[in-house]
Amino acid sequence: MGMSLEEIIDKIVSKTNLSKAEIEELIKNKTEELGGFVTEEGAANIVATELGIDLFQDKEFEEIKFSIEDISLGMTNVSVTGRVTRIYSPRTFEREGQKGAVVDLVIADLTGEIPLVLWDEHVRYVTENEIKKGDIVKVVSGYVKEGLDKKLQLNLGRRGRIIINPPDVNKKDFPELKEIYHSIFDLKPGMRDIDVVGVVQTIYDLNVYEKQDGTEGKVFSLFLKDKSGTCRTVFWDNQADEFFSSIKPEIILKIEGGYTREGLRGETEIHIGRRARVTINPEGKFDLPEVEEKKLTKINELKPDIFEVDVIGRVIDLRETKEFTTEDGRKGKVASIFIKDETGEIRVSLWDEKTKIADQVKLEDIVLIHAGYTREGPYGLDLHVGRRGQIVINPSDIDTSNIPSLEPIFSKLEDLEPDQFDVNIEGRVTEIYEAREFSRENGSTGKVMNAVVVDETGAVRMVAWDERVEELKEAERGHILRILHGYTKTGREELELHLGRRSKIEIVITDESFPPIEELPNDIEIPRISSLSVISENQTIGVRGTILEIYERKPLYKACPNCYRKAIGEEDTWNCPIHGEITPISHMIFSVILDDGTKSIRANILGKAAEQLLGVSAEEAYALIEQNDVEEAPLRKKSSELVGKEIIAIGKVFRSNYTGDLELSITKIEEEIDPVKEAEMIIHELKDKELGD
């Protein structure tokens, strides 16, 4: 049996000049100091030790000394001496309503090694740094149990004691401590008890998650670098709580007792669980690299499937947060912002918890995105910010003078291209149409209104939505409009300029600097016939040519009924990036090879033009596919009639992202050659040539 509290107090009284009341006060203070993790007897033992009193000096007991190789399951009253080769992180717990503490060590002698588990009051030897790796410890009155891994472990409880670097032992009789650290390059998934030293590069946000048992967990990650490489390092739960606020970039971390896993992209990660021990800026010298300042990537340098990318830009547009449900029933949220730097613009998708940032950020803010990743979206390259990403709003430590402001830069109408954001134009109204209302899938109503504006370079159909409709109603034919923050898309037959939530309409009734309406085009004019051998990117042209070949692919896709963008989803749930949840329609597109005698080109025929050429509506084409169970059925039905057919096609020239070749996006077809129209186009072309000469 161990000594009772009264026996310990009496022993201290007999060895000191302190009264019993004074000793009881010391024990009470020690219990409070250790946060209730020790019993009163344990606290009394610690007080006696601090006063230099050996409670067991006069007590006779049988001490059985062992070598580690002689230890077996069930032994008690075991005394063994060994060198400390590993120290794990202390842990706390509750036991029958009482707080407890435990820490694992490993000790070794010349015959072997064994885990040593210190309980409750003995844990302070580690927390107060009294026991260090390499120390010789003598364990007195330990007991042997089987651990969770079914291996033997030596335990030291309330009855036992430990002597650090006892004077009666020769350190040379114990194995020498060799601290060997793993290089990051040599790490593989599935390794345990790894020791690594590295310098912190980048730290990511602390995230809270729900465990399988319903309790709350915490996690954060950082990148650790040594001279051999860089590795993502993940801190879990109590370790995350303890170290998130104290770890900063460029500090040195010593990790003992970590383990490795395979990451989401097949890379090796270090994980810091409850037993691992982490030391910030440890003593000693380590051959580590200097932290290099991470380079910010320009928007025009981004490519698909890049991870851990850092980008900075100015917010030019904000979109509302959308909720969705995945196939496995998980609910999620996504919000979009659009940013630009001096090289370009990009959509940034914020997922789940990161959608809160969309409520904090404002137009014209500068945002610094850490650890984003890129994906090719339905309408081009997107930048994503997920769980591991971070966004800093208006960073103060980065020079942002080269990021353009939102001072409007006005474009000429002839320079507009599909899918542009933050478009500013000036033009005179030549046509204006009645506003109309429509119903959205969610039951809400919206408004839309069309107009045509022109400048000295061309004309464009303008589509105003909701609040912008009321502004456009104030305009009249002949008024000059200054349009800010519009966006372009391909409509049914031609390029359109759309005015959404962020757009602005300024009406200028008179402006002498702007050409009078008589000198401007009356409407959106038909482009002249061009030779395919001399076309260039971004031209809107007319081509008279012969269809040489039809690409037999499914000529339909699910599209938004408002803007004809490709709908995202399946079965009953479909979304448009612009209009949210929708009921999609079938929209037609197919490709041909068109030859005008000077050159051949791939032409993509869209929407009504595709329906016109195939002689079927999108709904009829869908029925043909279902009836024949062949995706190419609408094309095969007309293929023999179309190959060899001469048409006039009107569309825009663009460069394919896949082949790099010029292609045509055709929105209007003239199957029957109208000699009057053709003559007008030829005369127009001859006049241009005369002016050029």
Side-chain angles (χ1 to χ4, degrees):
M1 294 286 294
M3 296 178 69
S4 68
L5 178 61
E6 289 299 322
E7 288 176 323
I8 297 172
I9 293 174
D10 290 342
K11 185 74 176 251
I12 297 174
V13 169
S14 68
K15 296 289 186 179
T16 67
N17 294 323
L18 299 173
S19 67
K20 182 177 180 181
E22 289 173 325
I23 295 168
E24 288 175 341
E25 184 66 21
L26 289 173
I27 294 171
K28 178 184 175 184
N29 291 341
K30 181 58 66 176
T31 304
E32 292 175 353
E33 177 189 335
L34 297 176
F37 290 117
V38 296
T39 62
E40 287 186 320
E41 290 85 353
N45 272 282
I46 295 171
V47 168
T49 302
E50 291 177 347
L51 293 173
I53 299 169
D54 186 350
L55 295 175
F56 298 91
Q57 185 176 12
D58 303 323
K59 188 174 180 67
E60 294 183 3
F61 62 89
E62 183 182 2
E63 181 182 325
I64 308 172
K65 297 182 179 179
F66 292 92
S67 295
I68 289 175
E69 69 175 354
D70 298 325
I71 292 175
S72 59
L73 183 63
M75 285 183 169
T76 59
N77 204 23
V78 174
S79 293
V80 66
T81 303
R83 186 185 295 277
V84 178
T85 60
R86 185 175 290 280
I87 302 175
Y88 294 98
S89 181
R91 311 185 300 280
T92 58
F93 59 90
E94 283 200 7
R95 174 178 52 199
E96 297 179 356
Q98 299 292 320
K99 293 181 179 179
V102 63
V103 65
D104 297 324
L105 296 79
V106 177
I107 61 173
D109 65 12
L110 294 175
T111 69
E113 66 176 20
I114 192 170
L116 170 62
V117 184
L118 306 183
W119 295 91
D120 299 326
E121 59 262 27
H122 300 301
V123 174
R124 72 180 181 87
Y125 292 115
V126 172
T127 58
E128 296 178 6
N129 210 30
E130 293 184 30
I131 293 179
K132 305 178 186 66
K133 282 178 70 172
D135 283 343
I136 305 297
V137 295
K138 181 178 181 181
V139 178
V140 180
S141 293
Y143 58 96
V144 184
K145 292 176 65 177
E146 193 176 70
L148 295 176
D149 58 0
K150 304 300 182 183
K151 295 181 180 179
L152 297 181
Q153 62 179 26
L154 179 60
N155 291 261
L156 191 66
R158 182 168 59 85
R159 294 180 56 194
R161 61 190 177 116
I162 192 166
I163 304 170
I164 303 169
N165 295 318
D168 58 341
V169 299
N170 186 347
K171 291 188 176 184
K172 293 182 179 179
D173 294 337
F174 296 89
E176 183 181 350
L177 177 67
K178 295 181 179 178
E179 289 203 281
I180 301 174
Y181 297 100
H182 295 82
S183 70
I184 287 175
F185 178 80
D186 293 330
L187 296 179
K188 307 293 181 189
M191 297 173 69
R192 309 198 71 80
D193 275 337
I194 63 162
D195 297 343
V196 176
V197 177
V199 61
V200 176
Q201 285 193 300
T202 308
I203 305 170
Y204 301 112
D205 279 345
L206 180 72
N207 289 288
V208 178
Y209 67 97
E210 185 176 331
K211 298 182 181 180
Q212 290 184 346
D213 62 3
T215 60
E216 181 181 272
K218 296 182 179 180
V219 61
F220 82 92
S221 64
L222 55 83
F223 273 85
L224 197 67
K225 184 176 184 178
D226 67 10
K227 285 211 164 179
S228 71
T230 303
C231 186
R232 181 171 180 250
T233 305
V234 185
F235 288 69
W236 293 96
D237 299 324
N238 289 342
Q239 301 279 27
D241 232 359
E242 179 179 352
F243 287 103
F244 178 70
S245 59
S246 54
I247 293 178
K248 308 295 181 188
E250 300 188 34
I251 70 169
I252 296 173
L253 289 187
K254 179 168 76 171
I255 296 168
E256 300 171 276
Y259 62 96
T260 60
R261 281 183 182 173
E262 184 175 301
L264 294 175
R265 294 183 287 276
E267 76 281 20
T268 301
E269 298 176 340
I270 300 171
H271 286 252
I272 311 299
R274 61 190 182 90
R275 296 178 68 217
R277 194 178 191 204
V278 178
T279 307
I280 296 175
N281 290 327
E283 296 179 359
K285 292 186 177 181
F286 302 94
D287 187 17
L288 294 172
E290 293 184 3
V291 177
E292 299 176 1
E293 184 178 353
K294 193 168 182 183
K295 179 180 176 292
L296 294 174
T297 303
K298 300 297 183 185
I299 289 176
N300 70 347
E301 296 173 346
L302 295 173
K303 306 293 182 186
D305 302 318
I306 299 177
F307 297 93
E308 307 297 340
V309 66
D310 293 356
V311 177
I312 192 168
R314 189 181 300 277
V315 178
I316 61 173
D317 199 2
L318 300 166
R319 300 292 167 88
E320 294 179 356
T321 298
K322 304 290 185 183
E323 295 186 354
F324 61 89
T325 303
T326 61
E327 290 182 358
D328 60 4
R330 183 183 71 83
K331 293 187 179 298
K333 294 186 290 186
V334 62
S336 294
I337 63 176
F338 293 82
I339 65 171
K340 72 175 181 180
D341 64 10
E342 69 275 22
T343 70
E345 305 170 358
I346 195 167
R347 180 198 299 266
V348 182
S349 296
L350 312 175
W351 295 93
D352 297 324
E353 287 299 313
K354 295 298 186 293
T355 57
K356 295 177 182 177
I357 296 168
D359 298 327
Q360 302 168 17
V361 74
K362 303 184 295 296
L363 289 175
E364 300 195 30
D365 279 345
I366 299 289
V367 292
L368 173 62
I369 296 168
H370 284 300
Y373 60 95
T374 60
R375 283 184 182 168
E376 192 70 46
Y379 312 106
L381 190 65
D382 291 340
L383 179 62
H384 295 258
V385 183
R387 179 172 56 85
R388 286 164 58 174
Q390 288 179 293
I391 293 185
V392 181
I393 301 173
N394 295 319
S396 58
D397 56 345
I398 294 180
D399 180 14
T400 60
S401 59
N402 60 332
I403 298 177
S405 69
L406 290 191
E407 286 296 318
I409 299 174
F410 290 91
S411 300
K412 296 298 182 183
L413 295 184
E414 68 175 356
D415 295 327
L416 297 184
E417 300 176 17
D419 300 316
Q420 288 180 311
F421 295 95
D422 202 41
V423 174
N424 307 305
I425 63 104
E426 290 180 327
R428 194 182 293 275
V429 179
T430 60
E431 297 289 341
I432 194 160
Y433 302 94
E434 291 291 326
R436 60 183 179 87
E437 290 191 354
F438 63 93
S439 297
R440 296 188 175 92
E441 183 68 20
N442 61 7
S444 64
T445 59
K447 295 180 181 179
V448 63
M449 184 175 181
N450 293 342
V452 175
V453 294
V454 299
D455 66 9
E456 65 273 23
T457 69
V460 69
R461 182 179 301 278
M462 189 170 65
V463 184
W465 298 93
D466 298 323
E467 294 92 342
R468 303 290 80 76
V469 170
E470 298 306 314
E471 297 175 7
L472 188 57
K473 283 181 178 179
E474 301 298 319
E476 298 176 4
R477 188 174 186 273
H479 282 174
I480 296 168
L481 300 186
R482 185 170 292 120
I483 305 298
L484 304 176
H485 313 308
Y487 56 95
T488 62
K489 58 175 64 175
T490 302
R492 292 176 180 268
E493 296 185 352
E494 68 278 312
L495 186 74
E496 296 176 345
L497 176 63
H498 286 244
L499 311 182
R501 177 170 57 90
R502 182 180 159 245
S503 305
K504 294 181 181 179
I505 302 175
E506 297 179 8
I507 300 175
V508 182
I509 296 177
T510 59
D511 185 344
E512 294 182 0
S513 66
F514 205 84
I517 196 168
E518 295 79 13
E519 297 179 13
L520 296 171
N522 290 327
D523 205 339
I524 303 173
E525 64 179 71
I526 299 175
R528 70 176 186 271
I529 296 292
S530 297
S531 170
L532 290 178
S533 61
V534 296
I535 62 172
S536 58
E537 193 173 353
N538 299 323
Q539 276 186 299
T540 299
I541 64 168
V543 175
R544 178 173 181 168
T546 302
I547 298 174
L548 299 184
E549 180 183 349
I550 298 176
Y551 290 93
E552 289 198 358
R553 296 176 183 172
K554 185 177 180 179
L556 291 172
Y557 69 92
K558 293 290 185 182
C560 172
N562 300 311
C563 64
Y564 302 102
R565 289 177 180 265
K566 186 176 181 181
I568 304 167
E570 56 184 23
E571 296 182 357
D572 298 327
T573 304
W574 294 86
N575 286 277
C576 168
I578 303 298
H579 298 98
E581 190 168 336
I582 57 166
T583 299
I585 62 172
S586 294
H587 198 59
M588 295 193 71
I589 180 173
F590 68 96
S591 299
V592 303
I593 297 294
L594 196 63
D595 188 287
D596 73 343
T598 67
K599 189 177 180 181
S600 296
I601 194 170
R602 177 174 176 143
N604 305 302
I605 304 174
L606 310 174
K608 294 298 181 183
E611 293 182 11
Q612 175 187 347
L613 203 53
L614 291 180
V616 293
S617 67
E619 292 74 17
E620 291 168 338
Y622 182 80
L624 274 173
I625 292 172
E626 291 292 302
Q627 181 182 350
N628 294 276
D629 197 24
V630 176
E631 291 187 340
E632 302 84 3
L635 296 176
R636 291 181 180 178
K637 182 179 179 182
K638 292 283 286 189
S639 179
S640 60
E641 296 179 29
L642 292 180
V643 173
K645 185 179 183 68
E646 187 178 40
I647 61 173
I648 290 180
I650 298 168
K652 188 151 188 174
V653 183
F654 69 97
R655 190 170 299 279
S656 168
N657 291 329
Y658 300 101
T659 65
D661 296 332
L662 292 180
E663 296 185 5
L664 266 179
S665 181
I666 294 175
T667 54
K668 193 168 185 179
I669 294 288
E670 295 286 345
E671 294 184 70
E672 300 297 330
I673 307 303
D674 185 332
V676 175
K677 283 187 178 180
E678 188 173 11
E680 288 176 352
M681 292 180 181
I682 293 171
I683 292 169
H684 192 102
E685 186 176 21
L686 290 173
K687 285 182 177 179
D688 281 353
K689 287 182 178 179
E690 288 175 3
L691 290 172
D693 294 337

